[in-house]
Amino acid sequence: MTKVTRLNKYLSEIGYCSRRAADKLIDEGRITVNGTLVEMGLKVSKEDLIVIDGEKVQDPQNEAVYIAFNKPIGVVCTTDTREPDNIIDFINYPQRIFPIGRLDKPSEGLILLTNDGDVVNKILRTEFNHEKEYIVTVNKIINKDFISRMSNGVPILETTTKKCEVEMINKFSFRIILTQGLNRQIRRMCEYLGYEVIRLKRVRIMDICLNCPSGEYINIKKEALYNQLK
């Protein structure tokens, strides 16, 4: 059953104004609920449309959240709090959020988290070709054959990876841009070619770049994210 609360108390609880100030707004005819001018004593729920002076009132707890988190090595991308190193407890965000996709425990770098279920498939589905960029360090010297074979597709998990952009950074490190997200894809690709990944860091998802210290996050505006999904 939906909880209902007196309008003045509700506005106070969400931090909009005091009860006394809310009563004044009601008395001055400056509040509508679901398009109707309200009277003193009206009860509302979080589903009601409350408008004050032409502006919709939004409970901060109901707002969509989008954050870009710089995941440290050792943090597990799961919402299961039985996992002692889970990402949810590590971030300790005041609202319920969940990761979009994952980075495995030994990997680090950019991962997005949200409470908006609609955005998840739009980012993760392969056919949308959203880019994810990684910096990878391996245990042996990289040669032109390695770069070429990584770029043109490697047979893993009963399929062949899509062609992708791979660029050598130095003798042991390379940059790779993927548009698909097979399980442990980069590690499996390297393993097939006889290399072991020593360090894997994701630095970009679409146009969102990693620009905060390890273990910290920044908020992303909904408009900025959704504009990339059109």
Side-chain angles (χ1 to χ4, degrees), residues 111-122:
I111 185 162
L112 306 180
L113 295 98
T114 186
N115 59 0
D116 178 2
D118 293 336
V119 79
V120 177
N121 280 340
K122 295 177 181 178

Side-chain angles (χ1 to χ4, degrees), residues 182-213:
L182 301 177
N183 184 273
R184 297 173 64 88
Q185 179 171 341
I186 296 172
R187 294 181 186 275
R188 292 178 188 274
M189 291 170 73
C190 290
E191 182 180 354
Y192 181 85
L193 299 177
Y195 288 76
E196 179 185 350
V197 171
I198 302 301
R199 186 181 184 191
L200 191 156
K201 185 174 186 177
R202 184 156 63 197
V203 296
R204 179 173 64 87
I205 299 173
M206 301 182 293
D207 290 336
I208 302 167
C209 296
L210 188 64
N211 57 3
C212 62

Side-chain angles (χ1 to χ4, degrees), residues 47 70 90 213 221 223 225:
E47 283 80 21
N70 188 348
F90 185 94
K221 291 185 178 179
E223 297 76 13
L225 182 59

